[in-house]
Amino acid sequence: MMVRFLFLLLLNVLAFDFSKAQNGVDSKLTLAPVFSDHMVLQRNKPVKIYGKAASGSNVTVQFLDQTMRAKADQSGKWDVVFPAAKEGGPYVISVAANDQKINVNDVLIGDVWLCSGQSNMDFALRDAQTGPDELQAGPLDPDMRLLKMAGAVSTGDVAWDSASLEKVNRYEFFSGKWKSPDKASVASFSAIAYYFGKQIKKETNVPIGLIQVALGGSPTESWIDRALLEKDPQFAGMLGDWSHSDLVMDWCRERAAKNITNARSKDQKHPYQPGYSFQAGIAPLTGFPITGVIWYQGESNVFNVPLHEQLFTMLVKSWREKWNDTFPFYYVQLSSIERPYWPEFRDSQRRLLTKIPNSGMAVSFDFGDSLNVHPTRKKEVGERLALLALRDHYQKSVMANGPVPEKATLKNGAIRIQFLNKKTTLDHNKALPKQKLLTKNNAPLTGFELVTESGKRLVANARIEGDEVIIHVPAGERIRTVLYAYQPFTRANLYNEAGLPASTFSIAVK
């Protein structure tokens, strides 16, 4: 009896200590992970500050010489909303509840851009062609702040241990803190995002915050709210048994299988799983106002072009709904490489511009590598994304895209391709000069093909004539379509005077 009594007493003590520890965790005052020293808050939008505290406790927040108060709800959540503010700083956010206090120091107000996608967005500055020189160039801009939400576990060709498997199952995958720019923080940050932010800062002189949430190999569907995918019957197979679904790229499924080799749970989760990266990386940010998104992803969806079109339009629409903001969404067209389906995918990305409002696409095939899916020329790609933002969001008078085909007509044995004249100025009443069509170093024009009515593809002899491209039609051939830059790896060379290339495209002949 004495042994039983002591055993029960020990259990009660342990239970009391666990309950006390648990209550201590629940009552701790915290801010959402996106709040930390050196952060940037979005200008010209209400400033929402939020976190957790003991249920029912009163929370006081001081910011910009104003004080806001809130009461934590039953789950401990609280938030306050300050009026929109102009760019500036540095400031301090002070938060207090009960006897606890948190100060967030060196806070700037400016523009915050979310930088997401897979490995080419995750590609670090130190590994870019211009990275070493950039890191040695001199002082870094103190008003450009970086938040890298890094993956807690590598999705490389490794098997995870039990601790990693459990962490992934708890959705504790992405984490990071805001940092001021120094050689270490900049070197490991996304090269494309860095060069994008640097160009925006240079042209606007507004503090820039960059939030990197990217994961190598991740498919589009992993970045979409699972609840949305569940509403569409065509994605049922993808969700029910995603590791065996042919709607998910086989490489993603194979890599996930390797990572979770040691899993004991049949319901082991993985960041490539439909909905996972959204829940772990994006959902925690949707209460945090941003300017817009830059995106580089698609390599893990290139095998099914029609499916990607549905997924990508769903992603953009749903993210905007989650933020309740039709923010700009600028994405990178896939590069060129000797792999099947890539031309069709690039052309599909071009067509999506007409389906997704307030979007833009940076062409990158001219910086491609025939064998390497990770081309190292990231500076130019980041700056092309910045041109889109500068023209369409910041309303700067810049040229932001290369020649865009408008129509192809057959006359007297030749096809004439005319090109659109995109806006380059805010003054819509001002007549715009037509873009000049040219090739680098005046080299012969290359990259055009003709598709006959029987489906045969012919290399085209094309030339620039004024503001049109002229293609001679071989005798006896009836042409249905003109293709441009439609080889998986291409050095097609149609540009404009701003040095911006025409996209991969297909156009019907009228």
Side-chain angles (χ1 to χ4, degrees):
M1 286 293 291
M2 179 61 68
V3 173
R4 178 178 174 81
F5 172 78
L6 291 174
F7 178 71
L8 291 173
L9 180 62
L10 178 61
L11 285 180
N12 284 332
V13 170
L14 291 174
F16 175 78
D17 287 343
F18 175 79
S19 176
K20 184 178 179 181
Q22 190 64 36
N23 288 336
V25 171
D26 293 341
S27 64
K28 183 179 180 181
L29 175 65
T30 61
L31 284 161
V34 73
F35 292 89
S36 71
D37 292 349
H38 317 301
M39 71 181 302
V40 179
L41 294 168
Q42 179 60 46
R43 65 171 174 156
N44 301 332
K45 294 181 182 179
V47 177
K48 183 178 179 181
I49 299 173
Y50 51 102
K52 286 192 170 184
S55 173
S57 62
N58 294 313
V59 180
T60 301
V61 184
Q62 293 178 317
F63 180 58
L64 293 178
D65 297 323
Q66 300 175 71
T67 300
M68 295 280 182
R69 292 178 174 83
K71 178 172 282 192
D73 65 16
Q74 288 186 341
S75 64
K77 293 180 180 179
W78 60 266
D79 67 75
V80 296
V81 180
F82 287 85
K86 294 182 179 180
E87 62 270 18
Y91 304 112
V92 176
I93 300 172
S94 294
V95 185
N98 299 325
D99 296 326
Q100 303 171 67
K101 186 173 182 179
I102 298 173
N103 280 345
V104 182
N105 300 299
D106 191 28
V107 176
L108 299 181
I109 297 177
D111 283 347
V112 180
W113 287 88
L114 176 61
C115 315
S116 189
Q118 57 182 111
S119 54
N120 273 305
M121 182 60 80
D122 195 49
F123 194 96
L125 178 67
R126 61 172 169 256
D127 298 321
Q129 184 185 77
T130 55
D133 289 341
E134 183 74 27
L135 293 169
Q136 296 298 324
L140 298 165
D141 193 326
D143 286 344
M144 195 167 80
R145 306 297 177 79
L146 313 175
L147 171 54
K148 181 177 180 179
M149 303 294 288
V153 186
S154 169
T155 53
D157 191 21
V158 295
W160 295 338
D161 59 22
S162 59
S164 298
L165 292 165
E166 291 173 9
K167 180 171 284 192
V168 170
N169 274 355
R170 294 193 299 266
Y171 290 93
E172 296 172 0
F173 190 78
F174 294 104
S175 64
K177 297 286 187 183
W178 285 95
K179 294 183 179 180
S180 295
D182 57 31
K183 287 188 178 181
S185 63
V186 167
S188 63
F189 202 75
S190 163
I192 282 177
Y194 171 81
Y195 283 117
F196 169 85
K198 180 181 178 181
Q199 190 70 10
I200 297 295
K201 174 61 173 62
K202 176 184 175 183
E203 297 296 332
T204 66
N205 200 31
V206 171
I208 297 296
L210 302 172
I211 303 178
Q212 177 184 338
V213 191
L215 177 63
S218 56
T220 310
E221 59 270 18
S222 72
W223 297 98
I224 300 174
D225 187 353
R226 182 184 175 92
L228 284 178
L229 296 170
E230 288 174 342
K231 292 179 181 178
D232 195 323
Q234 69 175 314
F235 300 128
M238 177 190 289
L239 295 168
D241 185 8
W242 80 278
S243 62
H244 295 93
S245 172
D246 59 8
L247 295 179
V248 179
M249 191 175 187
D250 53 3
W251 182 91
C252 296
R253 293 184 279 121
E254 291 165 5
R255 176 56 56 83
K258 178 63 178 288
N259 293 156
I260 66 172
T261 299
N262 299 324
R264 296 182 179 181
S265 169
K266 293 182 180 179
D267 191 32
Q268 176 63 46
K269 295 176 176 57
H270 191 278
Y272 295 171
Q273 188 172 348
Y276 184 96
S277 288
F278 173 83
Q279 184 169 338
I282 301 302
L285 297 172
T286 56
F288 190 75
I290 60 175
T291 296
V293 174
I294 60 171
W295 175 264
Y296 193 160
Q297 192 274 339
E299 297 90 339
S300 290
N301 293 81
V302 76
F303 74 106
N304 192 327
V305 174
L307 178 64
H308 174 264
E309 289 183 359
Q310 297 177 63
L311 290 170
F312 188 62
T313 52
M314 178 186 289
L315 183 149
V316 177
K317 183 173 183 286
S318 66
W319 283 22
R320 287 171 171 169
E321 289 174 350
K322 293 291 184 182
W323 263 275
N324 192 27
D325 187 350
T326 55
F327 48 61
F329 200 108
Y330 305 126
Y331 57 93
V332 180
Q333 186 185 51
L334 289 196
S335 192
S336 58
I337 189 172
E338 287 295 357
R339 293 185 182 181
Y341 310 118
W342 283 56
E344 292 82 1
F345 193 91
R346 294 196 300 262
D347 198 17
S348 168
Q349 288 180 294
R350 175 188 66 88
R351 293 193 303 270
L352 283 171
L353 288 169
T354 63
K355 297 181 180 180
I356 302 173
N358 199 14
S359 65
M361 183 187 74
V363 175
S364 72
F365 74 74
D366 52 335
F367 301 130
D369 186 302
S370 63
L371 301 176
N372 190 351
V373 75
H374 302 120
T376 60
R377 292 185 65 178
K378 302 302 188 191
K379 179 177 187 287
E380 297 89 343
V381 178
E383 290 177 347
R384 287 177 182 177
L385 286 168
L387 285 174
L388 293 166
L390 289 168
R391 183 192 66 190
D392 295 338
H393 180 73
Y394 294 100
Q395 303 184 335
K396 301 287 185 180
S397 180
V398 297
M399 193 172 287
N401 55 264
V404 177
E406 181 178 16
K407 59 182 178 180
T409 55
L410 176 63
K411 186 177 181 180
N412 299 328
I415 296 170
R416 309 181 78 90
I417 304 176
Q418 295 177 311
F419 293 82
L420 291 170
N421 296 303
K422 289 290 186 181
K423 66 178 185 297
T424 59
T425 176
L426 287 177
D427 186 356
H428 300 296
N429 296 319
K430 181 180 178 182
L432 298 177
K434 291 188 176 182
Q435 288 190 26
K436 293 181 181 178
L437 303 181
L438 49 84
T439 62
K440 288 189 174 180
N441 301 318
N442 293 316
L445 182 60
T446 62
F448 284 90
E449 297 176 79
L450 302 175
V451 181
T452 68
E453 290 188 350
S454 64
K456 182 170 60 173
R457 282 172 66 163
L458 307 170
V459 176
N461 182 14
R463 73 180 190 277
I464 296 171
E465 188 174 290
D467 56 5
E468 296 180 329
V469 168
I470 312 298
I471 303 174
H472 175 73
V473 177
E477 299 290 359
R478 298 175 65 86
I479 305 303
R480 181 181 66 200
T481 308
V482 176
L483 304 178
Y484 174 72
Y486 236 81
Q487 294 297 319
F489 177 75
T490 179
R491 284 294 183 237
N493 63 348
L494 180 62
Y495 288 79
N496 62 16
E497 68 271 33
L500 296 171
S503 162
T504 293
F505 69 79
S506 60
I507 188 168
V509 177
K510 303 296 185 183

Short mmCIF file of all heavy atoms in Angstrom, two decimals, residues 85-108:
data_model
loop_
_atom_site.label_atom_id
_atom_site.label_comp_id
_atom_site.label_asym_id
_atom_site.label_seq_id
_atom_site.Cartn_x
_atom_site.Cartn_y
_atom_site.Cartn_z
N ALA A 85 0.83 54.59 -41.89
CA ALA A 85 1.89 55.58 -41.70
C ALA A 85 2.78 55.64 -42.93
O ALA A 85 2.87 54.67 -43.69
CB ALA A 85 2.72 55.24 -40.46
N LYS A 86 3.44 56.76 -43.10
CA LYS A 86 4.37 56.92 -44.21
C LYS A 86 5.71 56.26 -43.88
O LYS A 86 5.97 55.89 -42.73
CB LYS A 86 4.57 58.40 -44.51
CG LYS A 86 3.34 59.10 -45.05
CD LYS A 86 3.64 60.56 -45.36
CE LYS A 86 2.40 61.26 -45.93
NZ LYS A 86 2.68 62.69 -46.26
N GLU A 87 6.56 56.16 -44.89
CA GLU A 87 7.87 55.55 -44.68
C GLU A 87 8.69 56.37 -43.68
O GLU A 87 8.55 57.59 -43.60
CB GLU A 87 8.63 55.45 -46.01
CG GLU A 87 8.93 56.75 -46.71
CD GLU A 87 7.83 57.17 -47.67
OE1 GLU A 87 6.69 56.67 -47.57
OE2 GLU A 87 8.11 58.03 -48.54
N GLY A 88 9.54 55.67 -42.97
CA GLY A 88 10.38 56.34 -41.99
C GLY A 88 10.98 55.36 -41.00
O GLY A 88 10.91 54.16 -41.15
N GLY A 89 11.58 55.92 -39.94
CA GLY A 89 12.19 55.11 -38.91
C GLY A 89 13.64 55.54 -38.66
O GLY A 89 14.13 56.48 -39.28
N PRO A 90 14.31 54.89 -37.73
CA PRO A 90 13.85 53.70 -36.99
C PRO A 90 12.94 54.04 -35.82
O PRO A 90 13.05 55.12 -35.23
CB PRO A 90 15.16 53.08 -36.50
CG PRO A 90 16.09 54.24 -36.36
CD PRO A 90 15.73 55.21 -37.44
N TYR A 91 12.05 53.09 -35.50
CA TYR A 91 11.10 53.23 -34.41
C TYR A 91 11.22 52.02 -33.47
O TYR A 91 11.94 51.07 -33.73
CB TYR A 91 9.66 53.31 -34.94
CG TYR A 91 9.44 54.41 -35.95
CD1 TYR A 91 9.16 54.11 -37.29
CD2 TYR A 91 9.48 55.75 -35.58
CE1 TYR A 91 8.94 55.12 -38.22
CE2 TYR A 91 9.26 56.76 -36.51
CZ TYR A 91 9.00 56.44 -37.83
OH TYR A 91 8.78 57.45 -38.75
N VAL A 92 10.46 52.12 -32.36
CA VAL A 92 10.41 51.02 -31.38
C VAL A 92 8.94 50.63 -31.18
O VAL A 92 8.07 51.50 -31.07
CB VAL A 92 11.03 51.43 -30.03
CG1 VAL A 92 10.86 50.31 -29.00
CG2 VAL A 92 12.50 51.79 -30.21
N ILE A 93 8.68 49.33 -31.15
CA ILE A 93 7.36 48.81 -30.76
C ILE A 93 7.50 48.27 -29.34
O ILE A 93 8.36 47.42 -29.08
CB ILE A 93 6.90 47.67 -31.69
CG1 ILE A 93 6.78 48.16 -33.14
CG2 ILE A 93 5.57 47.10 -31.22
CD1 ILE A 93 6.51 47.04 -34.15
N SER A 94 6.67 48.77 -28.42
CA SER A 94 6.69 48.29 -27.03
C SER A 94 5.38 47.58 -26.73
O SER A 94 4.30 48.15 -26.94
CB SER A 94 6.88 49.46 -26.06
OG SER A 94 8.16 50.03 -26.23
N VAL A 95 5.48 46.37 -26.21
CA VAL A 95 4.30 45.57 -25.89
C VAL A 95 4.41 45.11 -24.44
O VAL A 95 5.46 44.61 -24.01
CB VAL A 95 4.19 44.34 -26.82
CG1 VAL A 95 2.89 43.58 -26.55
CG2 VAL A 95 4.27 44.75 -28.29
N ALA A 96 3.32 45.27 -23.69
CA ALA A 96 3.33 44.88 -22.28
C ALA A 96 2.04 44.16 -21.93
O ALA A 96 0.96 44.49 -22.44
CB ALA A 96 3.50 46.10 -21.38
N ALA A 97 2.16 43.15 -21.06
CA ALA A 97 0.99 42.43 -20.53
C ALA A 97 1.40 41.86 -19.18
O ALA A 97 2.44 41.21 -19.06
CB ALA A 97 0.55 41.32 -21.47
N ASN A 98 0.57 42.12 -18.17
CA ASN A 98 0.89 41.70 -16.80
C ASN A 98 2.27 42.29 -16.44
O ASN A 98 2.48 43.47 -16.54
CB ASN A 98 0.83 40.18 -16.68
CG ASN A 98 -0.57 39.66 -17.00
OD1 ASN A 98 -1.57 40.32 -16.70
ND2 ASN A 98 -0.63 38.49 -17.62
N ASP A 99 3.21 41.45 -16.05
CA ASP A 99 4.52 41.96 -15.68
C ASP A 99 5.56 41.72 -16.78
O ASP A 99 6.76 41.82 -16.54
CB ASP A 99 5.01 41.28 -14.39
CG ASP A 99 4.13 41.62 -13.20
OD1 ASP A 99 3.63 42.76 -13.18
OD2 ASP A 99 3.95 40.76 -12.33
N GLN A 100 5.08 41.42 -17.96
CA GLN A 100 5.99 41.11 -19.06
C GLN A 100 6.03 42.27 -20.06
O GLN A 100 5.04 42.94 -20.28
CB GLN A 100 5.53 39.84 -19.78
CG GLN A 100 5.40 38.63 -18.85
CD GLN A 100 4.76 37.46 -19.55
OE1 GLN A 100 5.32 36.89 -20.47
NE2 GLN A 100 3.55 37.12 -19.12
N LYS A 101 7.19 42.44 -20.69
CA LYS A 101 7.33 43.51 -21.67
C LYS A 101 8.28 43.07 -22.79
O LYS A 101 9.27 42.40 -22.54
CB LYS A 101 7.87 44.78 -21.01
CG LYS A 101 7.91 45.99 -21.94
CD LYS A 101 8.29 47.26 -21.20
CE LYS A 101 8.27 48.46 -22.15
NZ LYS A 101 8.61 49.73 -21.46
N ILE A 102 7.93 43.46 -24.01
CA ILE A 102 8.76 43.16 -25.19
C ILE A 102 8.99 44.47 -25.94
O ILE A 102 8.05 45.22 -26.19
CB ILE A 102 8.08 42.15 -26.13
CG1 ILE A 102 7.86 40.81 -25.43
CG2 ILE A 102 8.91 41.95 -27.40
CD1 ILE A 102 7.04 39.83 -26.25
N ASN A 103 10.22 44.74 -26.30
CA ASN A 103 10.55 45.85 -27.18
C ASN A 103 11.09 45.31 -28.50
O ASN A 103 11.97 44.43 -28.50
CB ASN A 103 11.59 46.77 -26.55
CG ASN A 103 11.00 47.72 -25.54
OD1 ASN A 103 9.79 47.91 -25.48
ND2 ASN A 103 11.85 48.33 -24.74
N VAL A 104 10.54 45.80 -29.59
CA VAL A 104 11.07 45.49 -30.92
C VAL A 104 11.77 46.76 -31.41
O VAL A 104 11.12 47.80 -31.59
CB VAL A 104 9.96 45.07 -31.90
CG1 VAL A 104 10.56 44.72 -33.27
CG2 VAL A 104 9.16 43.89 -31.35
N ASN A 105 13.07 46.67 -31.59
CA ASN A 105 13.89 47.85 -31.88
C ASN A 105 14.26 47.96 -33.35
O ASN A 105 14.20 46.98 -34.10
CB ASN A 105 15.17 47.80 -31.04
CG ASN A 105 14.87 47.77 -29.55
OD1 ASN A 105 14.26 48.70 -29.01
ND2 ASN A 105 15.29 46.70 -28.88
N ASP A 106 14.65 49.17 -33.74
CA ASP A 106 15.15 49.42 -35.09
C ASP A 106 14.12 49.04 -36.15
O ASP A 106 14.43 48.35 -37.13
CB ASP A 106 16.46 48.66 -35.30
CG ASP A 106 17.18 49.08 -36.57
OD1 ASP A 106 17.01 50.23 -37.01
OD2 ASP A 106 17.90 48.23 -37.15
N VAL A 107 12.90 49.49 -35.97
CA VAL A 107 11.80 49.17 -36.89
C VAL A 107 11.70 50.28 -37.94
O VAL A 107 11.65 51.46 -37.61
CB VAL A 107 10.47 49.05 -36.13
CG1 VAL A 107 9.31 48.82 -37.10
CG2 VAL A 107 10.55 47.94 -35.09
N LEU A 108 11.66 49.89 -39.21
CA LEU A 108 11.45 50.82 -40.30
C LEU A 108 10.04 50.66 -40.87
O LEU A 108 9.44 49.59 -40.75
CB LEU A 108 12.47 50.60 -41.42
CG LEU A 108 13.95 50.77 -41.07
CD1 LEU A 108 14.81 50.52 -42.31
CD2 LEU A 108 14.22 52.16 -40.50
#
